[in-house]
Amino acid sequence: MDNDILKVLYSTDEIHAACSRLGRQIQKTYADKVPVVIGVLKGATFFMSDIVREIDTYMEIDFIDVSSYHGATQSSGQVDLITDISTDVAGRDVLIIEDIVDTGRTLKFLMTNLSERGAKSIKVCTLLDKPEGRQVEAKSDFIGFQVPNEFVVGYGLDYDEKYRNLPYIGVLKPEIYTNN
Ligand code: XMP
Ligand code: MG
């Protein structure tokens, strides 16, 4: 897999340091609350499992699966709910954990959906933010790194369902997705 990577953006150590930093911020925010922490499948699973172990406060965790990419490197524009959470979020403080905010469509969909169910507060923690990709307004409260407008893979992020298990985040060589 390493041969398919043009350059490494964030090493395993840098990702871990970001998780510690974000975890401290999140812990302060929810010190006297019991948030429902919702990881967005599948990309955020690695980040989710690392970051919640950096937060020393009571919490519930759940997962939601939404899809907008369908194996391509460009968002299709439509967001579908694939698998829902099992937690009732009415009156709860919700923290969404995302791998990357790109066009912002996924986050906008999630914010609307969860607020319609009566969440008391909704905050967002994303490992990566790609501001140049934005097509709809979407703001995160906790951000690991800002990435350039390139397709990134690893540490949960995929291209066509592959590369999620890379232990670092890198930019995929363009010939990998233009040859397919
Ligand atoms: P949007 O565009 O809705 O994107 O903000 C959110 C979801 O799209 C996926 N995504 C990517 N996945 N490399 C990836 O592997 C990327 O550069 C990339 N940009 C967006 C991701 O699953 C995210 O949750
Ligand atoms: Mg995703």
Side-chain angles (χ1 to χ4, degrees):
M1 286 192 294
D2 292 331
N3 285 337
D4 298 348
I5 303 301
L6 186 67
K7 61 179 182 237
V8 175
L9 284 183
Y10 303 107
S11 67
T12 306
D13 285 350
E14 288 172 311
I15 295 168
H16 185 244
C19 288
S20 303
R21 173 173 58 83
L22 293 170
R24 281 195 299 275
Q25 294 172 16
I26 292 168
Q27 188 169 319
K28 275 189 210 147
T29 304
Y30 293 102
D32 54 355
K33 301 185 172 80
V34 182
V36 181
V37 181
I38 302 178
V40 184
L41 295 169
K42 303 171 195 167
T45 48
F46 295 74
F47 180 44
M48 173 86 167
S49 89
D50 283 344
I51 197 154
V52 294
R53 287 176 290 170
E54 301 285 341
I55 307 167
D56 183 12
T57 182
Y58 296 104
M59 66 171 68
E60 293 174 31
I61 65 171
D62 208 333
F63 290 93
I64 196 163
D65 192 3
V66 290
S67 169
S68 65
Y69 270 71
H70 312 294
T73 55
Q74 297 291 315
S75 172
S76 68
Q78 195 204 316
V79 181
D80 301 315
L81 179 60
I82 309 292
T83 308
D84 202 2
I85 46 171
S86 56
T87 311
D88 179 4
V89 295
R92 303 295 303 273
D93 295 295
V94 171
L95 176 65
I96 299 171
I97 306 285
E98 257 288 25
D99 52 356
I100 185 167
V101 179
D102 191 340
T103 65
R105 288 199 185 96
T106 302
L107 201 51
K108 193 176 175 200
F109 172 88
L110 288 172
M111 301 283 296
T112 306
N113 183 291
L114 294 166
S115 67
E116 280 171 3
R117 298 192 219 182
K120 182 173 152 201
S121 73
I122 307 174
K123 288 190 186 293
V124 180
C125 173
T126 187
L127 179 60
L128 306 178
D129 186 23
K130 199 191 274 189
E132 286 172 59
R134 209 67 95 247
Q135 297 194 5
V136 298
E137 203 187 326
K139 286 212 173 66
S140 302
D141 301 277
F142 310 96
I143 298 170
F145 306 104
Q146 285 207 342
V147 289
N149 201 7
E150 291 171 297
F151 198 74
V152 296
V153 295
Y155 191 67
L157 292 142
D158 72 305
Y159 167 64
D160 205 14
E161 293 302 325
K162 297 178 201 75
Y163 306 101
R164 292 192 196 275
N165 55 321
L166 277 178
Y168 54 85
I169 293 168
V171 177
L172 199 58
K173 287 180 182 165
E175 62 258 37
I176 302 293
Y177 49 86
T178 47
N179 286 345
N180 284 324

Short mmCIF file of all heavy atoms in Angstrom, two decimals, residues 93-144:
data_model
loop_
_atom_site.label_atom_id
_atom_site.label_comp_id
_atom_site.label_asym_id
_atom_site.label_seq_id
_atom_site.Cartn_x
_atom_site.Cartn_y
_atom_site.Cartn_z
N ASP A 93 -26.68 16.21 24.96
CA ASP A 93 -25.55 16.91 24.37
C ASP A 93 -24.83 15.92 23.44
O ASP A 93 -24.36 14.88 23.90
CB ASP A 93 -24.60 17.39 25.47
CG ASP A 93 -25.26 18.43 26.35
OD1 ASP A 93 -25.59 19.51 25.85
OD2 ASP A 93 -25.50 18.13 27.55
N VAL A 94 -24.77 16.29 22.17
CA VAL A 94 -24.23 15.38 21.16
C VAL A 94 -22.88 15.89 20.65
O VAL A 94 -22.72 17.09 20.38
CB VAL A 94 -25.22 15.25 19.97
CG1 VAL A 94 -24.58 14.49 18.81
CG2 VAL A 94 -26.51 14.56 20.41
N LEU A 95 -21.93 14.98 20.55
CA LEU A 95 -20.65 15.30 19.92
C LEU A 95 -20.47 14.38 18.73
O LEU A 95 -20.41 13.15 18.88
CB LEU A 95 -19.49 15.11 20.92
CG LEU A 95 -18.09 15.32 20.34
CD1 LEU A 95 -17.87 16.76 19.90
CD2 LEU A 95 -17.02 14.91 21.35
N ILE A 96 -20.40 14.96 17.54
CA ILE A 96 -20.19 14.18 16.31
C ILE A 96 -18.69 14.05 16.08
O ILE A 96 -17.95 15.03 16.14
CB ILE A 96 -20.83 14.88 15.09
CG1 ILE A 96 -22.34 15.03 15.28
CG2 ILE A 96 -20.52 14.13 13.80
CD1 ILE A 96 -23.02 15.91 14.21
N ILE A 97 -18.24 12.83 15.81
CA ILE A 97 -16.82 12.60 15.50
C ILE A 97 -16.71 12.24 14.01
O ILE A 97 -17.23 11.21 13.57
CB ILE A 97 -16.23 11.45 16.34
CG1 ILE A 97 -16.44 11.68 17.84
CG2 ILE A 97 -14.74 11.24 16.00
CD1 ILE A 97 -15.55 12.72 18.46
N GLU A 98 -16.02 13.09 13.26
CA GLU A 98 -15.86 12.89 11.81
C GLU A 98 -14.39 12.67 11.46
O GLU A 98 -13.51 13.15 12.16
CB GLU A 98 -16.36 14.14 11.06
CG GLU A 98 -17.73 13.97 10.42
CD GLU A 98 -17.75 13.06 9.20
OE1 GLU A 98 -16.87 12.18 9.05
OE2 GLU A 98 -18.66 13.21 8.37
N ASP A 99 -14.15 11.98 10.36
CA ASP A 99 -12.79 11.85 9.86
C ASP A 99 -12.36 13.11 9.11
O ASP A 99 -11.29 13.66 9.32
CB ASP A 99 -12.63 10.60 8.98
CG ASP A 99 -13.67 10.51 7.86
OD1 ASP A 99 -14.59 11.36 7.80
OD2 ASP A 99 -13.60 9.56 7.06
N ILE A 100 -13.25 13.60 8.23
CA ILE A 100 -12.90 14.77 7.41
C ILE A 100 -14.16 15.53 7.03
O ILE A 100 -15.19 14.92 6.77
CB ILE A 100 -12.09 14.34 6.15
CG1 ILE A 100 -11.61 15.55 5.35
CG2 ILE A 100 -12.89 13.40 5.27
CD1 ILE A 100 -10.56 15.20 4.29
N VAL A 101 -14.08 16.85 7.05
CA VAL A 101 -15.16 17.68 6.52
C VAL A 101 -14.65 18.29 5.22
O VAL A 101 -13.66 19.02 5.22
CB VAL A 101 -15.58 18.78 7.52
CG1 VAL A 101 -16.69 19.63 6.93
CG2 VAL A 101 -16.03 18.16 8.84
N ASP A 102 -15.31 17.94 4.13
CA ASP A 102 -14.85 18.34 2.80
C ASP A 102 -15.88 19.30 2.19
O ASP A 102 -15.82 20.50 2.42
CB ASP A 102 -14.67 17.06 1.96
CG ASP A 102 -13.94 17.30 0.65
OD1 ASP A 102 -13.89 18.44 0.19
OD2 ASP A 102 -13.43 16.33 0.06
N THR A 103 -16.87 18.80 1.45
CA THR A 103 -17.90 19.69 0.91
C THR A 103 -18.76 20.27 2.04
O THR A 103 -19.36 21.33 1.88
CB THR A 103 -18.85 18.95 -0.06
OG1 THR A 103 -19.58 17.96 0.67
CG2 THR A 103 -18.09 18.31 -1.20
N GLY A 104 -18.84 19.55 3.16
CA GLY A 104 -19.67 19.97 4.28
C GLY A 104 -21.06 19.38 4.24
O GLY A 104 -21.83 19.53 5.19
N ARG A 105 -21.37 18.65 3.18
CA ARG A 105 -22.74 18.13 3.02
C ARG A 105 -23.10 17.09 4.08
O ARG A 105 -24.22 17.07 4.60
CB ARG A 105 -22.94 17.52 1.63
CG ARG A 105 -23.00 18.57 0.55
CD ARG A 105 -23.65 17.99 -0.70
NE ARG A 105 -23.60 18.95 -1.78
CZ ARG A 105 -22.67 18.97 -2.71
NH1 ARG A 105 -21.71 18.06 -2.72
NH2 ARG A 105 -22.69 19.89 -3.65
N THR A 106 -22.15 16.21 4.38
CA THR A 106 -22.42 15.17 5.38
C THR A 106 -22.72 15.81 6.73
O THR A 106 -23.69 15.44 7.40
CB THR A 106 -21.21 14.22 5.51
OG1 THR A 106 -20.94 13.66 4.22
CG2 THR A 106 -21.47 13.10 6.50
N LEU A 107 -21.89 16.77 7.10
CA LEU A 107 -22.06 17.42 8.40
C LEU A 107 -23.38 18.18 8.46
O LEU A 107 -24.09 18.11 9.46
CB LEU A 107 -20.88 18.37 8.63
CG LEU A 107 -20.63 18.74 10.07
CD1 LEU A 107 -20.55 17.50 10.94
CD2 LEU A 107 -19.33 19.52 10.18
N LYS A 108 -23.71 18.88 7.39
CA LYS A 108 -24.96 19.63 7.36
C LYS A 108 -26.15 18.68 7.52
O LYS A 108 -27.07 18.95 8.29
CB LYS A 108 -25.07 20.41 6.03
CG LYS A 108 -26.15 21.43 6.07
CD LYS A 108 -26.22 22.28 4.84
CE LYS A 108 -27.44 23.19 4.96
NZ LYS A 108 -27.86 23.69 3.65
N PHE A 109 -26.08 17.57 6.81
CA PHE A 109 -27.14 16.56 6.91
C PHE A 109 -27.27 16.07 8.36
O PHE A 109 -28.36 15.98 8.91
CB PHE A 109 -26.80 15.38 5.98
CG PHE A 109 -27.69 14.19 6.13
CD1 PHE A 109 -28.86 14.09 5.41
CD2 PHE A 109 -27.35 13.14 6.99
CE1 PHE A 109 -29.70 12.98 5.54
CE2 PHE A 109 -28.18 12.04 7.14
CZ PHE A 109 -29.36 11.95 6.41
N LEU A 110 -26.13 15.76 8.99
CA LEU A 110 -26.14 15.22 10.36
C LEU A 110 -26.66 16.26 11.36
O LEU A 110 -27.44 15.93 12.25
CB LEU A 110 -24.74 14.76 10.76
CG LEU A 110 -24.24 13.48 10.08
CD1 LEU A 110 -22.78 13.25 10.42
CD2 LEU A 110 -25.09 12.28 10.51
N MET A 111 -26.21 17.51 11.20
CA MET A 111 -26.64 18.56 12.13
C MET A 111 -28.16 18.75 12.05
O MET A 111 -28.83 18.86 13.07
CB MET A 111 -25.96 19.90 11.79
CG MET A 111 -24.46 19.91 11.80
SD MET A 111 -23.69 19.95 13.41
CE MET A 111 -24.20 21.50 14.04
N THR A 112 -28.66 18.79 10.82
CA THR A 112 -30.11 18.97 10.63
C THR A 112 -30.87 17.79 11.21
O THR A 112 -31.83 17.94 11.98
CB THR A 112 -30.43 19.11 9.12
OG1 THR A 112 -29.63 20.16 8.60
CG2 THR A 112 -31.89 19.40 8.87
N ASN A 113 -30.41 16.60 10.87
CA ASN A 113 -31.08 15.37 11.31
C ASN A 113 -31.12 15.27 12.83
O ASN A 113 -32.16 14.99 13.43
CB ASN A 113 -30.33 14.19 10.68
CG ASN A 113 -30.97 12.87 10.98
OD1 ASN A 113 -30.94 12.42 12.12
ND2 ASN A 113 -31.57 12.24 9.98
N LEU A 114 -29.98 15.52 13.48
CA LEU A 114 -29.92 15.36 14.93
C LEU A 114 -30.65 16.49 15.66
O LEU A 114 -31.23 16.27 16.72
CB LEU A 114 -28.46 15.26 15.39
CG LEU A 114 -27.73 14.00 14.90
CD1 LEU A 114 -26.23 14.13 15.10
CD2 LEU A 114 -28.26 12.75 15.60
N SER A 115 -30.64 17.69 15.08
CA SER A 115 -31.37 18.77 15.76
C SER A 115 -32.88 18.56 15.61
O SER A 115 -33.63 18.87 16.52
CB SER A 115 -30.91 20.15 15.30
OG SER A 115 -31.27 20.35 13.99
N GLU A 116 -33.30 17.97 14.49
CA GLU A 116 -34.74 17.66 14.34
C GLU A 116 -35.21 16.64 15.37
O GLU A 116 -36.37 16.59 15.71
CB GLU A 116 -35.01 17.12 12.93
CG GLU A 116 -35.11 18.23 11.88
CD GLU A 116 -35.16 17.72 10.45
OE1 GLU A 116 -35.18 16.49 10.24
OE2 GLU A 116 -35.18 18.56 9.54
N ARG A 117 -34.27 15.82 15.85
CA ARG A 117 -34.64 14.83 16.88
C ARG A 117 -34.55 15.41 18.29
O ARG A 117 -34.67 14.68 19.26
CB ARG A 117 -33.70 13.63 16.79
CG ARG A 117 -33.79 12.90 15.48
CD ARG A 117 -33.08 11.59 15.59
NE ARG A 117 -32.35 11.28 14.38
CZ ARG A 117 -31.68 10.16 14.22
NH1 ARG A 117 -31.63 9.26 15.18
NH2 ARG A 117 -31.04 9.94 13.09
N GLY A 118 -34.25 16.70 18.37
CA GLY A 118 -34.31 17.38 19.67
C GLY A 118 -33.04 17.35 20.50
O GLY A 118 -33.10 17.51 21.72
N ALA A 119 -31.89 17.16 19.85
CA ALA A 119 -30.64 17.23 20.61
C ALA A 119 -30.53 18.59 21.28
O ALA A 119 -30.89 19.61 20.70
CB ALA A 119 -29.45 17.00 19.68
N LYS A 120 -30.04 18.61 22.51
CA LYS A 120 -29.94 19.86 23.27
C LYS A 120 -28.79 20.71 22.73
O LYS A 120 -28.89 21.93 22.61
CB LYS A 120 -29.71 19.51 24.73
CG LYS A 120 -29.63 20.67 25.68
CD LYS A 120 -29.59 20.09 27.10
CE LYS A 120 -28.88 20.98 28.07
NZ LYS A 120 -28.45 20.19 29.23
N SER A 121 -27.67 20.07 22.45
CA SER A 121 -26.54 20.77 21.84
C SER A 121 -25.84 19.80 20.89
O SER A 121 -25.88 18.59 21.10
CB SER A 121 -25.55 21.26 22.90
OG SER A 121 -24.83 20.17 23.45
N ILE A 122 -25.25 20.35 19.84
CA ILE A 122 -24.50 19.51 18.90
C ILE A 122 -23.16 20.18 18.63
O ILE A 122 -23.12 21.34 18.18
CB ILE A 122 -25.24 19.32 17.56
CG1 ILE A 122 -26.67 18.82 17.77
CG2 ILE A 122 -24.47 18.35 16.65
CD1 ILE A 122 -27.50 18.75 16.49
N LYS A 123 -22.08 19.47 18.92
CA LYS A 123 -20.76 19.96 18.58
C LYS A 123 -20.09 18.93 17.68
O LYS A 123 -20.50 17.77 17.63
CB LYS A 123 -19.92 20.22 19.84
CG LYS A 123 -20.39 21.45 20.62
CD LYS A 123 -19.41 21.82 21.70
CE LYS A 123 -19.93 22.95 22.58
NZ LYS A 123 -20.05 24.23 21.88
N VAL A 124 -19.05 19.40 16.98
CA VAL A 124 -18.39 18.55 15.99
C VAL A 124 -16.90 18.53 16.22
O VAL A 124 -16.27 19.59 16.39
CB VAL A 124 -18.66 19.08 14.57
CG1 VAL A 124 -17.98 18.21 13.52
CG2 VAL A 124 -20.16 19.17 14.30
N CYS A 125 -16.35 17.32 16.23
CA CYS A 125 -14.90 17.17 16.26
C CYS A 125 -14.49 16.42 15.00
O CYS A 125 -14.96 15.31 14.76
CB CYS A 125 -14.48 16.36 17.50
SG CYS A 125 -12.73 15.94 17.51
N THR A 126 -13.65 17.04 14.19
CA THR A 126 -13.18 16.36 12.99
C THR A 126 -11.65 16.29 13.01
O THR A 126 -10.99 17.24 13.42
CB THR A 126 -13.68 17.06 11.70
OG1 THR A 126 -13.33 16.26 10.57
CG2 THR A 126 -13.09 18.46 11.51
N LEU A 127 -11.14 15.16 12.60
CA LEU A 127 -9.68 15.04 12.57
C LEU A 127 -9.12 15.97 11.49
O LEU A 127 -8.15 16.67 11.72
CB LEU A 127 -9.27 13.59 12.28
CG LEU A 127 -7.77 13.35 12.19
CD1 LEU A 127 -7.06 13.72 13.48
CD2 LEU A 127 -7.47 11.91 11.81
N LEU A 128 -9.77 15.95 10.32
CA LEU A 128 -9.28 16.75 9.20
C LEU A 128 -10.35 17.71 8.72
O LEU A 128 -11.53 17.37 8.67
CB LEU A 128 -8.87 15.84 8.03
CG LEU A 128 -7.87 14.72 8.33
CD1 LEU A 128 -7.62 13.90 7.07
CD2 LEU A 128 -6.56 15.28 8.87
N ASP A 129 -9.91 18.90 8.35
CA ASP A 129 -10.82 19.87 7.75
C ASP A 129 -10.20 20.31 6.43
O ASP A 129 -9.02 20.62 6.36
CB ASP A 129 -10.96 21.08 8.69
CG ASP A 129 -12.00 22.07 8.20
OD1 ASP A 129 -12.88 21.67 7.42
OD2 ASP A 129 -11.92 23.25 8.58
N LYS A 130 -11.01 20.24 5.36
CA LYS A 130 -10.53 20.64 4.03
C LYS A 130 -11.35 21.86 3.59
O LYS A 130 -12.32 21.73 2.83
CB LYS A 130 -10.75 19.46 3.07
CG LYS A 130 -9.93 19.53 1.80
CD LYS A 130 -10.39 18.49 0.78
CE LYS A 130 -9.78 17.13 0.94
NZ LYS A 130 -10.11 16.22 -0.20
N PRO A 131 -11.00 23.07 4.07
CA PRO A 131 -11.85 24.23 3.82
C PRO A 131 -12.05 24.56 2.35
O PRO A 131 -13.12 25.04 1.96
CB PRO A 131 -11.10 25.38 4.52
CG PRO A 131 -9.92 24.81 5.20
CD PRO A 131 -9.80 23.37 4.86
N GLU A 132 -11.05 24.26 1.52
CA GLU A 132 -11.19 24.57 0.08
C GLU A 132 -12.25 23.72 -0.61
O GLU A 132 -12.69 24.05 -1.72
CB GLU A 132 -9.86 24.34 -0.64
CG GLU A 132 -8.81 25.39 -0.37
CD GLU A 132 -7.47 24.98 -0.97
OE1 GLU A 132 -7.39 24.77 -2.19
OE2 GLU A 132 -6.51 24.81 -0.18
N GLY A 133 -12.64 22.61 0.02
CA GLY A 133 -13.64 21.74 -0.59
C GLY A 133 -15.07 22.16 -0.31
O GLY A 133 -16.01 21.63 -0.90
N ARG A 134 -15.24 23.15 0.57
CA ARG A 134 -16.56 23.47 1.09
C ARG A 134 -17.54 23.93 0.02
O ARG A 134 -17.24 24.79 -0.80
CB ARG A 134 -16.43 24.55 2.16
CG ARG A 134 -17.49 24.47 3.20
CD ARG A 134 -17.43 23.22 4.09
NE ARG A 134 -16.72 23.48 5.32
CZ ARG A 134 -15.56 22.93 5.62
NH1 ARG A 134 -14.99 22.06 4.81
NH2 ARG A 134 -14.96 23.22 6.74
N GLN A 135 -18.75 23.33 0.02
CA GLN A 135 -19.82 23.76 -0.89
C GLN A 135 -21.04 24.22 -0.12
O GLN A 135 -21.87 24.94 -0.66
CB GLN A 135 -20.17 22.63 -1.86
CG GLN A 135 -18.96 22.30 -2.72
CD GLN A 135 -19.29 21.44 -3.91
OE1 GLN A 135 -20.44 21.14 -4.17
NE2 GLN A 135 -18.27 21.04 -4.64
N VAL A 136 -21.18 23.75 1.11
CA VAL A 136 -22.24 24.26 1.98
C VAL A 136 -21.58 24.62 3.31
O VAL A 136 -20.52 24.09 3.65
CB VAL A 136 -23.38 23.22 2.22
CG1 VAL A 136 -24.05 22.86 0.91
CG2 VAL A 136 -22.86 21.98 2.93
N GLU A 137 -22.21 25.52 4.06
CA GLU A 137 -21.58 25.95 5.31
C GLU A 137 -21.58 24.82 6.33
O GLU A 137 -22.59 24.15 6.54
CB GLU A 137 -22.31 27.18 5.87
CG GLU A 137 -21.39 27.96 6.79
CD GLU A 137 -22.09 29.10 7.50
OE1 GLU A 137 -23.00 29.71 6.91
OE2 GLU A 137 -21.71 29.36 8.65
N ALA A 138 -20.44 24.57 6.93
CA ALA A 138 -20.32 23.53 7.95
C ALA A 138 -19.13 23.87 8.83
O ALA A 138 -18.01 23.96 8.32
CB ALA A 138 -20.13 22.16 7.30
N LYS A 139 -19.41 24.06 10.11
CA LYS A 139 -18.32 24.45 11.02
C LYS A 139 -18.08 23.39 12.08
O LYS A 139 -19.01 22.80 12.61
CB LYS A 139 -18.69 25.77 11.72
CG LYS A 139 -18.58 26.98 10.81
CD LYS A 139 -18.16 28.22 11.60
CE LYS A 139 -17.90 29.40 10.68
NZ LYS A 139 -19.12 29.86 10.00
N SER A 140 -16.81 23.15 12.37
CA SER A 140 -16.45 22.19 13.42
C SER A 140 -15.95 22.95 14.64
O SER A 140 -15.38 24.04 14.51
CB SER A 140 -15.35 21.26 12.92
OG SER A 140 -15.78 20.59 11.76
N ASP A 141 -16.19 22.36 15.80
CA ASP A 141 -15.76 22.99 17.05
C ASP A 141 -14.35 22.57 17.44
O ASP A 141 -13.64 23.31 18.10
CB ASP A 141 -16.74 22.60 18.16
CG ASP A 141 -18.15 23.04 17.80
OD1 ASP A 141 -18.47 24.21 18.03
OD2 ASP A 141 -18.91 22.21 17.25
N PHE A 142 -13.97 21.36 17.08
CA PHE A 142 -12.64 20.83 17.40
C PHE A 142 -12.04 20.25 16.12
O PHE A 142 -12.64 19.37 15.50
CB PHE A 142 -12.74 19.73 18.46
CG PHE A 142 -13.57 20.11 19.67
CD1 PHE A 142 -14.91 19.75 19.75
CD2 PHE A 142 -13.01 20.84 20.70
CE1 PHE A 142 -15.68 20.09 20.85
CE2 PHE A 142 -13.77 21.19 21.82
CZ PHE A 142 -15.11 20.82 21.89
N ILE A 143 -10.87 20.76 15.74
CA ILE A 143 -10.25 20.34 14.46
C ILE A 143 -8.82 19.87 14.70
O ILE A 143 -8.04 20.56 15.37
CB ILE A 143 -10.25 21.52 13.45
CG1 ILE A 143 -11.69 21.96 13.13
CG2 ILE A 143 -9.51 21.14 12.17
CD1 ILE A 143 -11.79 23.25 12.34
N GLY A 144 -8.52 18.69 14.15
CA GLY A 144 -7.15 18.18 14.27
C GLY A 144 -6.19 18.91 13.36
O GLY A 144 -5.26 19.59 13.81
#
